[in-house]
């Protein structure tokens, strides 16, 4: 994938999620369903106060904290935002009080359903494009070529095996998340041992009912405030790729690849494959790769005007 496409796709990951962050932070209206009456947007003061306070703590932590605190500014910001929301009565403490200390997760055996398989199977295209794009941006953040080592094939195999195992215990499918990439970019902690430790803690917390309840009661405003920062960091990584790879946009091929990829990704353009809709970053990545292959062929035939 050419740098012009990679940079655009990485930036789209953050830009595509930016409206969600603004909505969660109370700075923009939530989208309305077709036929639903559109009401004037009214800003909720409590939501904005909590989200902006959380964002402020995240910014301060990212640029001022040192030592161990420099590693956990996001966690610190979320905790601070949660405490503020708690004092403002925005946290459902009843759910925490009613939760037991020891609670076993609900396990469910898989049931084969051909119709369900046919409906969900096209979603693999979307997940595949997201996985590759996220692997590229993670490699850029860590300054490692993850496509070669450990390799895209191993990464996709691990993703597939984890989905297979989760399905056998009634858990939802797994996917990579842009939020986690943003956290790595801010904390600069890339150790797989840290990720493994986080996974072990997550498993342990799933057996502690009160902790699970507390996590589930984190207000949307808190998450909105911190994701404003996280999604922005991801978008910046895409623009950083343009600079580091010295993408020459005076060349028509780079200009066209970047332009089309950006427009497809952020314009809301979409295609439907069965019951699955392909849009945003996944659609942009596929379009960018297809155009790159066409340009590569034209280049081999010496038909490009910027050879």
């Amino acid at each position: 994938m050419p740098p012009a496409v990679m940079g655009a796709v990485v930036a789209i990951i953050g830009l595509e999620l930016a409206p969600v962050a603004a909505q969660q932070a109370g700075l923009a209206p939530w989208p309305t369903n077709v036929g639903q009456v559109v009401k004037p947007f009214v800003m909720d003061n409590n939501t904005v106060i909590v989200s902006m306070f959380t964002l402020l703590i995240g910014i301060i932590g990212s640029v001022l904290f040192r030592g161990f605190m420099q590693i956990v500014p996001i966690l610190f910001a979320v905790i601070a935002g949660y405490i503020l929301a708690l004092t403002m009565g925005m946290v459902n403490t009843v759910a925490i009080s009613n939760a037991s200390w020891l609670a076993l997760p609900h396990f469910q055996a898989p049931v084969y359903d051909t119709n369900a398989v046919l409906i969900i199977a096209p979603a693999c295209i979307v997940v595949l494009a997201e996985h590759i794009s996220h692997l590229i941006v993670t490699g850029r953040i860590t300054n490692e070529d993850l496509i070669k080592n450990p390799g895209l094939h191993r990464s996709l195999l691990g993703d597939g095996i984890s989905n297979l195992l989760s399905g056998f215990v009634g858990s939802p499918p797994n996917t990579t998340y842009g939020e986690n990439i943003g956290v790595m970019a801010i904390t600069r902690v890339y150790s797989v041992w840290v990720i493994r430790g986080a996974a072990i803690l997550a498993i342990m917390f799933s057996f502690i009912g009160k902790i699970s309840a507390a996590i589930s009661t984190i207000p949307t405003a808190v998450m909105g405030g911190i994701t404003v920062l996280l999604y922005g960091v991801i978008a910046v990584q895409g623009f950083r790729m343009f600079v580091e790879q010295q993408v020459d946009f005076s060349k028509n091929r780079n200009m066209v690849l970047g332009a089309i990829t950006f427009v497809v990704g952020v314009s809301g353009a979409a295609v439907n494959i069965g019951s699955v809709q392909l849009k945003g970053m996944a659609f942009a990545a596929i379009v960018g790769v297809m155009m790159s292959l066409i340009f590569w062929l034209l280049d081999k035939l010496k038909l490009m005007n910027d050879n």
Side-chain angles (χ1 to χ4, degrees), residues 128-209:
L128 176 65
E130 288 183 344
H131 183 105
I132 296 173
S133 300
H134 287 172
L135 192 66
I136 292 172
V137 66
T138 303
R140 298 305 306 171
I141 291 173
T142 60
N143 293 320
E144 298 284 347
D145 190 351
L146 300 181
I147 297 294
K148 292 183 178 180
N149 184 27
L152 179 60
H153 59 298
R154 292 190 180 94
S155 180
L156 288 173
L157 177 62
D159 200 354
I161 292 176
S162 66
N163 279 308
L164 184 65
L165 295 176
S166 66
F168 275 104
V169 295
S171 179
N174 302 300
T175 185
T176 52
Y177 284 95
E179 294 89 335
N180 297 332
I181 298 174
V183 170
M184 286 194 298
I186 293 175
T187 63
R188 299 181 184 179
V189 175
Y190 316 132
S191 172
V192 294
W193 288 102
V194 173
I195 304 299
R196 291 167 182 163
I200 293 173
L201 286 175
I203 294 173
M204 293 172 59
F205 288 161
S206 68
F207 288 90
I208 306 175

Side-chain angles (χ1 to χ4, degrees), residues 195-280:
I195 304 299
R196 291 167 182 163
I200 293 173
L201 286 175
I203 294 173
M204 293 172 59
F205 288 161
S206 68
F207 288 90
I208 306 175
K210 289 192 179 295
I211 293 181
S212 298
I215 293 174
S216 66
T217 58
I218 297 177
T220 302
V222 174
M223 300 309 300
I226 203 62
T227 52
V228 168
L229 176 60
L230 294 180
Y231 296 155
V233 167
I234 297 172
V236 169
Q237 295 300 320
F239 299 124
R240 172 188 171 189
M241 191 178 297
F242 289 143
V243 176
E244 292 183 346
Q245 295 294 319
Q246 298 181 338
V247 179
D248 185 0
F249 283 108
S250 66
K251 291 187 175 182
N252 290 335
R253 73 175 74 188
N254 290 335
M255 179 179 63
V256 171
L257 284 172
I260 299 301
T261 304
F262 260 121
V263 170
V264 170
V266 302
S267 65
V271 295
N272 294 320
I273 304 176
S275 61
V276 175
Q277 188 178 70
L278 189 65
K279 63 180 298 186

